[in-house]
Amino acid sequence: MSISESPANRPGLFITFEGGDGAGKSTQAAKLTEALEADGRKVVRTREPGGTAVGEQLRSLVLEHGNGEIDARTEALIFAASRAAHVAQVIRPAVERGDIVVCDRFIDSSVAYQGSGRSLGTGDVRQLNVWATEGFSPDLTVLLDVDPEQGRLRRTANQAAEDRLESEPDTFHLRIRRAFLEQARTDPSRYLVLDARQPVDELAEAILARVKELLP
Ligand code: TYD
């Protein structure tokens, strides 16, 4: 039995961007959105955690420093709760209307960060999230692969303060990188894996070319 809803039967498209912190996901998600809108497509651009009123509150709770200790299981459940609301209220309705949803992070981030980074187990974390989303799965996942040191350099170049997860040591981020690559290896038809060090415009071109293959 397949645990995921078949993307092929849906009117719209669901595209996710994944990768370590500082990989450039937001830049590429913005560029893809711009290109698709210029082509006359209706795009819903969103991000996780967040994307709904309850999700944005959960985002502050889990990412900001100063909310006291958050143990790994609680953290995993907060991300999954935010995702459940996001799929039910935003993503699924948009895809069913025929829109293209471009989402910064999805289940694969929980599998990498909580499953592997926090050592909760990738299988359990995936199962929790399949339940939370009723198996709603992306048509395409773009993985921008970045080595943790490079990611940290890029983040500090932007001078943004590091959130709770970003401020974990490089060994944590190394486990996350490996977990993303492993997910791509086991589900190759859903993934486009790109080296995040490539020039921004080259990455954008490669992503758009792949998305065009999926457009009706
Ligand atoms: P992100 O929004 O990409 O950070 P920013 O906008 O500050 O660049 O993600 C926030 C952090 O949350 C990031 O460190 C990854 C982490 N995260 C998880 O640990 N699990 C998840 O399921 C998700 C969606 C994000």
Side-chain angles (χ1 to χ4, degrees), residues 17-21 25 48 103-107 109 113 180:
F17 282 81
E18 298 282 8
D21 293 286
K25 294 181 306 302
E48 292 209 339
C103 185
D104 212 320
R105 298 193 181 281
F106 195 60
I107 293 181
S109 275
Y113 281 80
F180 275 129

Side-chain angles (χ1 to χ4, degrees), residues 17-23 25-26 47-50 59 62-63 75-76 78-80 82-83 104-114 118 125 129 155 160-167 172-173 176 180:
F17 282 81
E18 298 282 8
D21 293 286
K25 294 181 306 302
S26 317
R47 65 162 184 190
E48 292 209 339
R59 180 183 178 92
V62 78
L63 293 185
E75 184 180 283
I78 293 174
F79 283 114
S82 164
R83 185 164 297 127
D104 212 320
R105 298 193 181 281
F106 195 60
I107 293 181
D108 303 358
S109 275
S110 279
V111 172
Y113 281 80
Q114 282 65 55
R118 299 288 194 221
V125 172
N129 279 280
R155 291 200 303 277
E162 295 198 313
D163 66 38
R164 263 186 68 248
L165 278 298
E166 284 169 341
S167 52
F172 175 84
H173 291 283
I176 283 153
F180 275 129

Side-chain angles (χ1 to χ4, degrees), residues 103-143:
C103 185
D104 212 320
R105 298 193 181 281
F106 195 60
I107 293 181
D108 303 358
S109 275
S110 279
V111 172
Y113 281 80
Q114 282 65 55
S116 187
R118 299 288 194 221
S119 305
L120 287 175
T122 53
D124 281 354
V125 172
R126 180 163 291 283
Q127 215 180 338
L128 166 71
N129 279 280
V130 167
W131 180 82
T133 59
E134 298 183 85
F136 200 83
S137 131
D139 299 272
L140 172 68
T141 297
V142 178
L143 172 57

Side-chain angles (χ1 to χ4, degrees), residues 89-105:
Q89 295 173 32
V90 178
I91 300 175
R92 186 193 287 273
V95 172
E96 285 174 356
R97 281 196 305 269
D99 296 352
I100 302 175
V101 175
V102 174
C103 185
D104 212 320
R105 298 193 181 281

